Amino acid sequence: MPNYFQSQTFTGSDFESKFFIKGEYESCIFKSCDLANTDLSGSVFIECEFLGCNLSMANLFKTAFREVIFKDCKLLGLRFDKCEIIGLVLGFENCVLDHASFFRTKLQKTVFKNCRLKESDFSEADFSASIFDGSDLSGAVFDNTVLEKADFRLASNFNIDPERNRIKKAKFALDGLPGLLGKYGIEIS
């Protein structure tokens, strides 16, 4: 019988990577947990919250995240493209997601609020109707990405080629035009 945890709160003092138990976590809260480089493969997280945690470089092979929220977390180099795709629903607030890979993921309506996504890979992914409020997308890669109805009005430092991505009905602020027209080498003032 697999390990099952429901409605429990785990804090950094009693839940570090060396104590991680693979299993199913439902409606659990993880506070200040250091799970960097931890093997989370095969685990299931349903309606969980990660608050102030470090999951940098964790192994997410076949990890299921169903309606999981990350707040104030460090998520460097995570391979969300290796997660279980069925039921994958995520939300991020005040998180550092530099070098994360979302390659070919389907994460429609995902909210990135005040996140740093430097050099993250969104290639061939579906982020339609997603929101990037207050997020820094310096060096992020968008190639053959579905961004229809996505909201970039409060995002910064993005570079999205309209000819290589689907952006129909996406929202951009006027000061975001350089991020759409950068490849043409024109000056916008």
Side-chain angles (χ1 to χ4, degrees):
M1 174 178 241
N3 297 305
Y4 180 75
F5 305 90
Q6 183 174 20
S7 302
Q8 292 187 38
T9 298
F10 301 95
T11 60
S13 59
D14 61 12
F15 198 77
E16 296 175 0
S17 59
K18 62 186 171 207
F19 300 116
F20 179 74
I21 300 169
K22 287 187 183 189
E24 185 172 325
Y25 295 82
E26 185 171 353
S27 301
C28 291
I29 296 173
F30 299 85
K31 289 183 181 177
S32 304
C33 296
D34 185 1
L35 297 167
N37 299 302
T38 301
D39 184 2
L40 303 176
S41 63
S43 290
V44 178
F45 300 91
I46 302 168
E47 296 178 3
C48 291
E49 288 185 60
F50 288 85
L51 310 172
C53 295
N54 181 3
L55 285 86
S56 297
M57 301 302 292
N59 180 355
L60 301 181
F61 183 73
K62 294 290 184 187
T63 302
F65 289 117
R66 298 185 181 123
E67 297 185 41
V68 172
I69 302 293
F70 295 92
K71 290 183 183 175
D72 305 308
C73 290
K74 190 174 178 183
L75 309 165
L76 300 174
L78 286 186
R79 299 285 311 266
F80 292 100
D81 57 328
K82 299 296 183 189
C83 289
E84 175 60 50
I85 59 170
I86 297 170
L88 183 62
V89 178
L90 302 167
F92 304 93
E93 185 175 338
N94 300 319
C95 292
V96 178
L97 290 133
D98 297 353
H99 305 283
S101 176
F102 296 97
F103 179 71
R104 290 189 174 165
T105 58
K106 290 186 186 327
L107 281 166
Q108 301 94 338
K109 299 180 181 177
T110 298
V111 174
F112 294 95
K113 186 173 183 182
N114 300 319
C115 292
R116 198 173 82 190
L117 294 140
K118 291 183 176 183
E119 299 184 26
S120 290
D121 185 4
F122 293 91
S123 299
E124 299 183 34
D126 184 350
F127 277 88
S128 52
S130 291
I131 298 170
F132 293 85
D133 280 0
S135 294
D136 181 354
L137 294 157
S138 300
V141 177
F142 294 92
D143 187 36
N144 198 27
T145 308
V146 179
L147 299 167
E148 294 174 351
K149 298 181 183 177
D151 191 340
F152 289 90
R153 290 178 292 184
L154 299 176
S156 62
N157 303 316
F158 57 84
N159 190 353
I160 299 170
D161 184 345
E163 294 175 18
R164 297 195 51 85
N165 298 282
R166 292 174 35 196
I167 62 169
K168 186 176 182 177
K169 295 191 178 182
K171 298 172 186 162
F172 297 92
L174 283 176
D175 61 357
L177 285 179
L180 289 172
L181 304 173
K183 79 173 201 171
Y184 299 109
I186 57 176
E187 288 186 30
I188 300 168
S189 54

